[in-house]
Amino acid sequence: MQQNALYKENGQIISDSAFFRGADGYRLLGSDVTATVNVSRVRRVEEMCFWLGEIFGHFGHFLLSSLSRIWALDRVPASVRIAYYGPPAEDLFQQEFIAKIFGRLGLTPDRLIRVDAPCVFSSIYIAERALNENYSVSERYNQSVRSIYPFSDEASESFVYITKHLVRRGVFSVENEDALCEFLEKNGVKCVAPEQFQFEEQLQFWATHGKFIGFSSSSFHLCNFFDGRDIILINRDCYASSNQLLLDAYGSNRVLHLFSDDLEQTGRTDSFSLVCRIRDVEAFGRSILSCIGKFESGALSPTVIPDMGRTVSPLIFRDEGFGVNLSRTGQASQSSVYPHDEGRTRTAEGAVSGYLTGIYQCHTAEEDNPWWQTDFGGLCDINEVRIYNRIDHPAVAARCSAISITVSDDGVRFSEVHRHDFGGVPPGGADGTPYRWVASVPVCGRFVRITILSRTYLHFDQVEVFGLPHEAV
């Protein structure tokens, strides 16, 4: 049994506590993790609740994991209770940063319901997690965390070095970082240890400074509360932190990722999971000064993060679709919903979750010419439609036998722009062979509808539509 998670009536997992980091092989939709609970012996919660998941007491984990659903709270009535797993609410509010953030969000201990044993909810709201494979709510997440602390655009233009050498316990430590700080201070770079501040002071520090450099750590998680910052991150090896890359992808800060061969790993201690040492402190310090100068002059540019919101495919296409992935922001619908709950997403929005599974993420009933469509909310110039078929069994994949792609301005009158018969060889999907229709010239429309031309079920894994808003073109 997977602990600290939410399950449907049939035992299928709905939502893990906080594993949103996009780890390879992690599967949420269609997960085979199940739980068996004797409903006659567990606590029943009849109040309407909002599921927040696990609330972590660790600073960095709280900022990312526990706040990854907080954006949706303004969408539910204030009377809705907040269900969570973790320490008692009174203990949580003893930690200053939790009390400050929850206080600014208007949350009080009496609104929280602690889940410390299996229970059954009569009804519950579940928010999409902003920092995972589903990119559609990331902007809402950014808006919510930036509302926690108001700040002006005026900030110091000098780089500040963020040091960890005063931290006594954590994940990562550089044992001679104090010597590096001494060198940098002598050369005019201010060194600051934010963890020594009260939380309000940390926010004030980030609000009044615009340029930061330091080893990648949870201190930099606060950068997502602000935008327009210049950040140089020194990673412990050639692999950048996935947490930081997620923040980089959604935020508007300019971040340069670096690593150095002059940093050697020396092992671990009771206080730190990884300890490193700088081989030559002065040479390392001179490199930092050089990077600052080159970043400010434009000789070094912010790291370009692959556009994770562009395509769900883990395989790189040689000729990517022109424009942006319009399906990320469209509103999906379909002709019907499969009536049997098999523990997987059956409704239309599943096909734009942003995560490939190989199985279905939308599913209609059996009917004549079932369809799936997306509404962009305004006219767009469409360049490509990409269909990722369900591929978990040849017989069900073959139901996608012939398709019609139609476009409409009003959602009523549709014009066919493409038709294709697969001739008994259905399209692929998560295997890297989706069906791709590329328009010879952009097609203008607000709605795109995909219809299977037979009496069958429609069940796609993902659908992507590439193009640009019409006014942009």
Side-chain angles (χ1 to χ4, degrees):
M1 172 180 171
Q2 178 83 11
Q3 296 182 344
N4 315 337
L6 204 62
Y7 300 84
K8 300 180 76 169
E9 297 91 332
N10 62 2
Q12 195 81 23
I13 190 171
I14 299 175
S15 177
D16 230 345
S17 58
F19 295 98
F20 59 84
R21 295 176 180 81
D24 290 343
Y26 175 70
R27 176 181 292 180
L28 179 63
L29 294 174
S31 170
D32 55 4
V33 177
T34 59
T36 302
V37 177
N38 187 337
V39 296
S40 65
R41 297 184 179 180
V42 301
R43 171 189 176 194
R44 298 192 66 88
V45 179
E46 301 298 338
E47 297 177 85
M48 175 67 80
C49 291
F50 175 95
W51 178 247
L52 190 57
E54 184 166 1
I55 298 182
F56 292 86
H58 180 275
F59 179 76
H61 291 173
F62 177 84
L63 293 181
L64 294 181
S65 302
S66 301
L67 294 187
S68 65
R69 295 189 184 96
I70 210 76
W71 65 271
L73 271 180
D74 62 358
R75 304 293 185 90
V76 303
S79 58
V80 171
R81 302 287 299 278
I82 299 171
Y84 76 99
Y85 172 84
E90 294 76 14
D91 294 347
L92 289 172
F93 276 76
Q94 290 298 313
Q95 299 201 57
E96 186 202 18
F97 65 91
I98 293 179
K100 291 289 186 182
I101 290 176
F102 278 178
R104 290 183 181 275
L105 294 170
L107 304 182
T108 56
D110 59 355
R111 192 175 174 189
L112 273 61
I113 293 181
R114 181 189 181 205
V115 179
D116 55 359
C119 65
V120 174
F121 294 95
S122 60
S123 54
I124 192 163
Y125 289 97
I126 307 167
E128 290 284 359
R129 295 166 299 170
L131 296 179
N132 70 347
E133 293 84 1
N134 189 335
Y135 303 95
S136 59
V137 296
S138 58
E139 182 58 30
R140 291 285 305 152
Y141 167 79
N142 282 339
Q143 291 172 5
S144 66
V145 296
R146 287 173 187 161
S147 69
I148 291 171
Y149 189 86
F151 71 102
S152 67
D153 292 330
E154 297 180 5
S156 170
E157 288 301 310
S158 298
F159 266 92
V160 177
Y161 180 83
I162 305 296
T163 178
K164 293 170 56 66
H165 80 274
L166 297 178
V167 178
R168 299 305 174 204
R169 180 174 295 275
V171 176
F172 170 64
S173 174
V174 179
E175 59 185 39
N176 55 347
E177 192 177 17
D178 55 341
L180 176 64
C181 289
E182 184 179 348
F183 175 86
L184 293 174
E185 292 271 10
K186 287 181 180 179
N187 286 273
V189 178
K190 180 180 178 182
C191 297
V192 176
E195 286 94 341
Q196 305 305 304
F197 298 163
Q198 295 295 314
F199 182 64
E200 197 80 16
E201 294 175 314
Q202 288 191 50
L203 290 171
Q204 179 69 15
F205 167 71
W206 279 90
T208 54
H209 291 78
K211 299 183 178 183
F212 307 88
I213 186 170
F215 286 98
S216 177
S217 69
S218 58
S219 294
F220 286 93
H221 292 350
L222 277 179
C223 71
N224 210 43
F225 283 54
F226 309 95
D227 56 18
R229 271 49 187 161
D230 287 337
I231 301 170
I232 301 176
L233 280 177
I234 308 167
N235 294 285
R236 65 198 71 168
D237 51 33
C238 63
Y239 299 100
S241 161
S242 60
N243 288 348
Q244 188 63 47
L245 289 178
L246 286 167
L247 295 179
D248 295 352
Y250 303 132
S252 57
N253 297 307
R254 298 170 291 275
V255 185
L256 172 63
H257 285 266
L258 303 172
F259 77 98
S260 173
D261 290 333
D262 200 32
L263 192 68
E264 60 180 347
Q265 298 184 9
T266 61
R268 60 180 300 161
T269 66
D270 292 339
S271 300
F272 295 97
S273 302
L274 176 64
V275 179
C276 294
R277 179 177 179 79
I278 302 170
R279 292 189 179 94
D280 187 332
V281 170
E282 289 199 9
F284 197 89
R286 288 193 297 270
S287 294
I288 287 178
L289 297 175
S290 175
C291 288
I292 289 175
K294 290 180 178 179
F295 193 73
E296 291 183 316
S297 69
L300 279 176
S301 302
T303 302
V304 177
I305 305 300
D307 189 352
M308 295 185 294
R310 184 167 178 76
T311 179
V312 295
S313 177
L315 305 176
I316 298 175
F317 291 98
R318 289 175 180 252
D319 51 340
E320 276 289 8
F322 177 76
V324 298
N325 191 342
L326 298 169
S327 46
R328 289 282 185 255
T329 56
Q331 182 176 350
S333 59
Q334 61 191 40
S335 54
S336 62
V337 177
Y338 185 58
H340 305 296
D341 185 358
E342 297 175 338
R344 298 170 185 153
T345 305
R346 296 170 289 159
T347 49
E349 67 274 7
V352 289
S353 71
Y355 184 54
L356 281 172
T357 66
I359 53 178
Y360 69 79
Q361 295 192 65
C362 69
H363 200 315
T364 69
E366 184 179 21
E367 59 181 317
D368 292 329
N369 304 324
W371 54 261
W372 180 97
Q373 75 176 27
T374 183
D375 173 7
F376 306 125
L379 291 177
C380 291
D381 285 280
I382 300 150
N383 298 299
E384 180 178 337
V385 176
R386 194 175 296 175
I387 302 170
Y388 294 82
N389 194 22
R390 174 186 182 180
I391 58 172
D392 52 315
H393 191 281
V396 294
R399 291 171 179 165
C400 185
S401 55
I403 62 165
S404 169
I405 298 177
T406 55
V407 173
S408 172
D409 293 346
D410 57 10
V412 178
R413 297 179 298 275
F414 283 81
S415 300
E416 186 174 77
V417 294
H418 180 68
R419 179 179 289 227
H420 184 77
D421 189 326
F422 292 100
V425 183
D431 57 358
T433 59
Y435 180 70
R436 302 176 67 186
W437 169 66
V438 180
S440 57
V441 295
V443 175
C444 184
R446 171 176 169 174
F447 297 82
V448 170
R449 176 178 291 184
I450 303 168
T451 304
I452 297 182
L453 301 173
S454 63
R455 181 169 183 80
T456 187
Y457 302 91
L458 179 150
H459 37 48
F460 296 144
D461 188 354
Q462 290 288 282
V463 177
E464 294 178 316
V465 181
F466 294 91
L468 290 171
H470 185 64
E471 61 271 17
V473 178

